[in-house]
Amino acid sequence: MPFYFFYDPTMIFILIGLVISGIASTYVRSTYSKYADTRNNRGLTAWEVSRSILDNSGLRNVVLDRVPGDLTDHYDSQNNILRLSDATYNSTSVAAIGVAAHEAGHAIQDQENYFPLRLRSTLVPVANFGQGISFPLIIAGVIFGGNQSLINLGILFFSLTLVFQLVTLPVEFDASNRAIAILDQQQLLTPEELDQARHVLRAAALTYVAAAVASFLQVLRLVLLFGGGRRND
């Protein structure tokens, strides 16, 4: 059995990815908590802000729904439903309003056929399939005498996860930019509150950056382990 099954120095890439993702997750939760107790000056709830943004954007057909959990807010493009978490729905905090406006930004992207959003939706099943089949292919390649074609195919399929993460970045950044611009234009938040909401959305964006970095490190690890082929000395 090859030595690298006993000692794998490339595991450092996985550890680095976990640390980066953990730091990003902790930062977004601490930033959200910081402004979760800051009530907006007008006393608007996240639901009211979302409904205002959607209606003023001609999206009265988008349904607002409530979903269990904390920070489980998301926009369902297939069913035209914007789902706000229990922690967000009736909250008047600046943090909740920032999150709700961000999800409304996704609904506007959908209305405008924003290409990165369409591309990300197309990549979801492809990336899921690639992630599921990649390691069986790599393992099969190793078992069958180091079959480099199978191994490379497995790495290629796994790389689809990285492609998905990279496409996600402009989608999320654009939704946040739209949210801040609309909150400002409709004067839903004061300038000070707007800056606070911007901090929350920037922190949230870091989680997507961290996910992309972690995916890149995983692909790099697989390439270093298996991508170059191995000689039997």
Side-chain angles (χ1 to χ4, degrees):
M1 184 177 291
F3 179 72
Y4 59 87
F5 278 105
F6 292 97
Y7 174 68
D8 179 8
T10 65
M11 277 299 295
I12 188 65
F13 293 117
I14 301 298
L15 295 176
I16 292 173
L18 289 174
V19 169
I20 291 174
S21 297
I23 292 173
S25 179
T26 301
Y27 180 62
V28 70
R29 288 191 174 276
S30 64
T31 303
Y32 185 90
S33 297
K34 180 179 180 180
Y35 298 111
D37 295 326
T38 305
R39 184 176 181 271
N40 73 88
N41 189 54
R42 294 180 59 183
L44 297 170
T45 66
W47 182 93
E48 290 172 324
V49 168
S50 299
R51 191 71 269 169
S52 174
I53 292 174
L54 293 173
D55 290 349
N56 281 300
S57 300
L59 293 173
R60 291 179 176 82
N61 62 314
V62 174
V63 176
L64 272 172
D65 198 8
R66 190 166 184 160
V67 63
D70 183 12
L71 295 180
T72 52
D73 313 83
H74 64 279
Y75 171 67
D76 180 354
S77 60
Q78 291 186 336
N79 299 300
N80 282 344
I81 300 176
L82 196 161
R83 294 187 171 94
L84 299 178
S85 66
D86 287 334
T88 301
Y89 197 84
N90 284 321
S91 175
T92 59
S93 75
V94 172
I97 286 176
V99 170
H102 172 90
E103 298 307 329
H106 284 311
I108 296 172
Q109 288 175 336
D110 189 27
Q111 177 197 42
E112 297 179 356
N113 287 314
Y114 183 61
F115 177 72
L117 179 67
R118 291 282 176 255
L119 180 58
R120 184 176 73 168
S121 298
T122 302
L123 285 173
V124 169
V126 178
N128 288 338
F129 174 78
Q131 190 170 35
I133 201 174
S134 58
F135 284 101
L137 284 172
I138 293 172
I139 293 171
V142 172
I143 291 174
F144 293 114
N147 187 312
Q148 200 61 42
S149 295
L150 280 177
I151 291 173
N152 290 342
L153 187 60
I155 295 174
L156 180 63
F157 272 117
F158 188 83
S159 298
L160 293 173
T161 303
L162 174 59
V163 173
F164 174 78
Q165 297 290 356
L166 292 175
V167 171
T168 294
L169 293 179
V171 175
E172 297 301 330
F173 279 106
D174 179 78
S176 292
N177 290 336
R178 290 173 188 263
I180 295 300
I182 292 172
L183 289 172
D184 185 22
Q185 291 167 3
Q186 297 185 17
Q187 298 183 339
L188 296 169
L189 295 179
T190 66
E192 181 182 359
E193 292 166 349
L194 197 66
D195 189 53
Q196 294 169 344
R198 187 180 290 109
H199 281 301
V200 172
L201 295 183
R202 283 177 178 170
L206 288 179
T207 61
Y208 297 101
V209 175
V213 171
S215 292
F216 170 75
L217 290 173
Q218 288 179 326
V219 172
L220 178 60
R221 173 177 178 261
L222 291 177
V223 170
L224 291 175
L225 272 177
F226 306 109
R230 293 181 181 274
R231 297 192 313 268
N232 293 321
D233 296 331

